[in-house]
Amino acid sequence: MEFSQSIPGKAQTPAACQFCEELQEIKWKCINCELFLCQLCCSKIHNKIKASMKHEIINLKDFETVDFATSVRKVDLENMECTIHDKQKCFVFCKDCSEPSCSKCLTETHKLHDYKALDEVYKEIISEMKELMKRLEDNLKLFSYEKEQLQKKLSDGDNNFQETRDLILQTEKDMKEVISKHAKDLLKELEAKWKLTENIIKIELSAITKKEEKLETRKNNLFQALQSHQAIDIFSTSKTLDKSLPQYSNKLIKTNIVKFIHTNIELKKGSQSVLGDIYTIPAMEVINTYRSDIENVTNILLCSDKTAFIGSTNSKKIQKIKFETNNIKVEREIQIKLYDMARYNDDEILVSSKKSDLKLYTKDKKLTSFKSFSPLRTTCVHVTKDNKITVGLVEYSPDVFLITKDSHRKVLIMKQNGDIQHTIEYDKDNQRLLTHPKRIKSFNYRIVVVDIINNEREGRVVMFDYGGQLHWTFNGCNSIISDRVKFYPADVSITSTAMILVSECVKHAIHVLNPAGEVIVCSDVKVFGIELPFSLDIDNNEVLWIGCNTWGEDKIKKAKIICVKLT
């Protein structure tokens, strides 16, 4: 009997008990007999018959449940017919052939094979299927979650696209209206200026025309008299001859010639367009987190072989480290008071200790003086892509933020041999560009400086060119805090696409600026688990490395270095 094929739904329940054929209140079904039973027949008759005492009885309300299916399969297992031998029931499982077997199978096709009890194998298969079912359900949940996330990203992205598109079109419309109105105003102004001159010229032209006509009439009359053959006509004409001439008008009429000089709307690479530019807000994905053994990573310089130089102002040391799978290996260590450092060559760095001389740490692990700037002292150092060395300098002073006319706050640009090419201190209006330069970076012959302005470590970021022309100043943004903005910039780094990243340690923030110094996003990186971001560096794969500070109450002063993918 194939019980698995005879599972009826509730709609197939007969009108009366199939045992007594009288009562209509059907509550049970015997899986073995395949009979629908009323309560009385089930309890008083069917269960009392010896042959049916061990039959599986199922309540109709349990139809189409797991328990019901299990009971049907159990009966089916006990009565499973062999697919090879007619009217033979399977009672063992052939492990070699992986199929149920009857007694005839044992003596024929499965002779000398390894066997196992059929119900044991059945339980194992059911267990495996349930485990697979659980794994499938877990995977479905995962796919459902990922699908939901992708649908959200699709929806958010589409909304962002539509909003940005609408903004561009609205900006175009607004600018068209502004330009159109301005053009109309210019045309009105042009017409007013011309009409005034035009009227003066037309009045004078009309007066001259009338005089010309009168003279032409007199000339014709005189000509007619001269054509006469009678002398008397000459004498007669002379009596009325008008010998006067009209006064020639030498009136000076000033004509105002106007000239329209159009605005230069030439679109050059790297400059803003008329309507504006589209910038992709970089998404941050934490790739890895490393724990150093120094108190704060105030400087980080990535090398090309998964190594880096890191420095700590508080720990007063520089380390050459190697990033391994989940930890950091310190390859060498230099004890030195550090303020800033920059890559000089592959395994050499320039170091500012806020003293007069700039130090060079060489490949043979020696620390030598590279160049002295006495009586000034160095504050920051950077090497440009074209191997120019930029150095920030200030004078020695008890209060570095007390600036007098004798103060010096400048940036020098030098060749690699130390020859000075540019000195930048004042703008074209002879105003100081800097207060206390802390960090320097560069791109496209532009210098970007983190400038500290007071003892509270507030600051700003400024950009100027080699000629001292100030291009912009960034004083922080108010998207993170709502009260009066105080900006505490720590470090700056620049991507290959000229996006300028500025860390703000105390606010757990990284600001992203475009080349024009406009804010693309002020990102609160604490949501990514990044606290107290201090130093920044970007490697050749456009991966951002962030050296962090530690909290004052931390018992273990071991600052983190966090590797972040920018997408």
Side-chain angles (χ1 to χ4, degrees):
M1 296 171 62
E2 295 186 359
F3 291 90
S4 59
Q5 296 179 1
S6 58
I7 303 173
K10 290 184 179 180
Q12 296 172 304
T13 306
C17 174
Q18 292 178 320
F19 207 85
C20 66
E21 297 183 349
E22 293 181 1
L23 296 178
Q24 296 182 358
E25 190 178 358
I26 310 301
K27 287 188 175 182
W28 304 94
K29 180 177 181 179
C30 175
I31 301 302
N32 300 74
C33 301
E34 292 195 343
L35 295 176
F36 288 90
L37 308 171
C38 63
Q39 179 65 40
L40 181 63
C41 290
C42 180
S43 59
K44 299 295 184 180
I45 303 174
H46 185 274
N47 287 351
K48 301 297 183 181
I49 300 172
K50 187 175 182 180
S52 61
M53 290 179 66
K54 293 184 178 181
H55 285 190
E56 287 289 329
I57 306 297
I58 296 296
N59 194 311
L60 293 187
K61 66 181 182 180
D62 293 330
F63 270 36
E64 299 178 2
T65 65
V66 174
D67 290 338
F68 175 71
T70 302
S71 298
V72 173
R73 288 198 304 267
K74 182 179 177 182
V75 174
D76 190 32
L77 180 67
E78 293 172 353
N79 297 275
M80 185 181 295
E81 292 183 354
C82 181
T83 57
I84 300 173
H85 304 100
D86 291 339
K87 299 181 180 180
Q88 294 294 317
K89 292 185 179 180
C90 297
F91 68 98
V92 293
F93 187 83
C94 178
K95 294 171 66 178
D96 294 338
C97 300
S98 297
E99 61 182 22
S101 305
C102 68
S103 57
K104 286 188 176 182
C105 290
L106 300 185
T107 60
E108 295 176 5
T109 55
H110 303 300
K111 191 174 182 180
L112 301 179
H113 285 187
D114 192 12
Y115 309 104
K116 195 170 183 178
L118 192 61
D119 60 341
E120 290 183 15
V121 177
Y122 168 77
K123 289 178 181 178
E124 291 174 0
I125 293 173
I126 290 296
S127 178
E128 288 177 1
M129 292 175 69
K130 287 183 177 179
E131 178 61 29
L132 179 58
M133 176 69 77
K134 183 178 181 303
R135 288 164 57 196
L136 290 173
E137 289 174 348
D138 291 341
N139 272 265
L140 282 170
K141 289 179 181 178
L142 179 61
F143 282 120
S144 177
Y145 174 77
E146 290 181 352
K147 180 181 176 182
E148 182 182 338
Q149 294 300 309
L150 288 172
Q151 287 174 336
K152 185 178 185 301
K153 287 182 179 180
L154 182 63
S155 176
D156 292 346
D158 185 63
N159 290 337
N160 176 257
F161 165 75
Q162 293 297 337
E163 289 173 3
T164 307
R165 178 180 178 276
D166 292 345
L167 182 60
I168 291 172
L169 292 175
Q170 185 61 45
T171 303
E172 179 192 24
K173 180 181 176 182
D174 293 344
M175 292 194 72
K176 279 182 177 179
E177 291 177 357
V178 171
I179 292 171
S180 179
K181 182 180 182 302
H182 185 57
K184 288 180 181 177
D185 292 341
L186 287 174
L187 290 172
K188 286 182 181 178
E189 182 182 355
L190 175 65
E191 185 178 8
K193 289 180 181 295
W194 168 238
K195 286 296 181 182
L196 180 63
T197 303
E198 182 188 36
N199 289 336
I200 294 173
I201 294 174
K202 283 183 176 180
I203 292 171
E204 189 64 22
L205 183 62
S206 177
I208 290 176
T209 301
K210 288 179 180 179
K211 290 180 181 180
E212 183 184 33
E213 289 173 351
K214 287 182 179 180
L215 286 175
E216 191 68 36
T217 300
R218 288 173 61 189
K219 173 187 167 187
N220 290 334
N221 291 337
L222 188 60
F223 178 77
Q224 291 295 329
L226 290 173
Q227 294 296 316
S228 176
H229 298 285
Q230 303 297 322
I232 191 64
D233 290 337
I234 297 300
F235 288 106
S236 176
T237 300
S238 67
K239 289 181 180 180
T240 60
L241 186 64
D242 184 3
K243 297 180 181 179
S244 67
L245 292 174
Q247 185 177 3
Y248 174 71
S249 176
N250 194 23
K251 186 177 181 181
L252 180 63
I253 299 176
K254 184 180 180 182
T255 56
N256 295 317
I257 303 299
V258 298
K259 183 179 182 181
F260 175 64
I261 302 175
H262 67 83
T263 302
N264 184 11
I265 314 179
E266 182 182 0
L267 303 181
K268 296 181 179 179
K269 186 178 180 181
S271 65
Q272 274 197 314
S273 67
V274 176
L275 296 179
D277 289 310
I278 294 176
Y279 297 95
T280 300
I281 298 175
M284 295 187 179
E285 178 186 345
V286 176
I287 300 174
N288 212 336
T289 300
Y290 302 91
R291 180 79 70 170
S292 72
D293 63 355
I294 54 179
E295 187 173 337
N296 56 355
V297 182
T298 52
N299 299 85
I300 180 167
L301 301 174
L302 268 296
C303 302
S304 59
D305 55 350
K306 292 188 177 180
T307 61
F309 284 97
I310 61 173
S312 173
T313 302
N314 290 2
S315 299
K316 297 180 180 179
K317 64 176 65 174
I318 298 173
Q319 292 178 338
K320 175 71 180 295
I321 62 172
K322 185 175 183 65
F323 294 103
E324 297 183 339
T325 304
N326 291 311
N327 60 5
I328 291 174
K329 178 183 178 182
V330 179
E331 295 186 339
R332 62 187 107 135
E333 188 172 275
I334 315 157
Q335 294 293 331
I336 186 173
K337 183 180 178 182
L338 171 71
Y339 199 74
D340 196 15
M341 61 184 186
R343 280 184 297 270
Y344 184 68
N345 286 319
D346 289 340
D347 207 28
E348 295 182 326
I349 56 173
L350 293 168
V351 181
S352 166
S353 298
K354 224 172 183 181
K355 294 183 179 179
S356 294
D357 61 331
L358 191 65
K359 301 287 186 182
L360 176 64
Y361 182 73
T362 62
K363 293 180 180 180
D364 55 4
K365 304 177 184 180
K366 292 182 180 180
L367 199 62
T368 62
S369 177
F370 178 78
K371 185 178 179 67
S372 176
F373 299 93
S374 181
L376 304 179
R377 58 176 176 170
T378 64
T379 58
C380 49
V381 60
H382 166 66
V383 179
T384 67
K385 288 185 177 180
D386 57 349
N387 295 319
K388 297 292 191 297
I389 301 171
T390 57
V391 183
L393 299 171
V394 301
E395 79 280 1
Y396 281 89
S397 172
D399 185 356
V400 72
F401 298 105
L402 179 61
I403 300 178
T404 67
K405 61 181 181 65
D406 298 321
S407 298
H408 292 285
R409 311 298 161 92
K410 62 179 69 175
V411 169
L412 298 184
I413 300 176
M414 307 181 296
K415 295 181 180 179
Q416 277 208 321
N417 60 7
D419 291 345
I420 298 174
Q421 291 185 308
H422 303 277
T423 299
I424 307 168
E425 188 168 7
Y426 299 95
D427 64 14
K428 64 178 182 178
D429 298 320
N430 205 33
Q431 299 296 312
R432 289 187 185 276
L433 289 167
L434 302 167
T435 303
H436 188 281
K438 179 182 180 181
R439 292 285 189 272
I440 304 178
K441 291 294 187 295
S442 64
F443 73 101
N444 298 337
Y445 301 101
R446 300 288 189 265
I447 305 296
V448 180
V449 180
V450 174
D451 187 37
I452 306 304
I453 61 175
N454 59 35
N455 284 310
E456 294 180 5
R457 316 311 294 171
E458 287 185 71
R460 56 185 181 165
V461 179
V462 297
M463 188 181 84
F464 46 81
D465 55 33
Y466 286 4
Q469 173 65 46
L470 180 65
H471 289 265
W472 51 260
T473 300
F474 174 64
N475 295 301
C477 58
N478 58 2
S479 64
I480 295 178
I481 56 173
S482 58
D483 58 348
R484 187 181 72 83
V485 174
K486 288 188 177 182
F487 183 40
Y488 304 93
D491 200 1
V492 62
S493 192
I494 303 173
T495 70
S496 61
T497 56
M499 293 294 102
I500 301 163
L501 310 182
V502 182
S503 62
E504 190 172 7
C505 183
V506 297
K507 294 180 185 175
H508 317 288
I510 292 179
H511 309 275
V512 182
L513 315 180
N514 67 9
E518 298 166 329
V519 179
I520 296 175
V521 65
C522 294
S523 180
D524 182 359
V525 295
K526 196 172 183 180
V527 299
F528 303 105
I530 304 172
E531 295 184 333
L532 304 174
F534 199 107
S535 54
L536 305 174
D537 197 20
I538 298 174
D539 64 21
N540 294 330
N541 297 317
E542 288 294 292
V543 174
L544 175 65
W545 295 78
I546 305 173
C548 299
N549 208 336
T550 53
W551 294 101
E553 59 270 20
D554 284 354
K555 293 181 180 179
I556 301 176
K557 300 284 188 178
K558 292 186 177 182
K560 292 179 180 178
I561 298 174
I562 300 175
C563 178
V564 175
K565 183 178 180 181
L566 299 176
T567 58

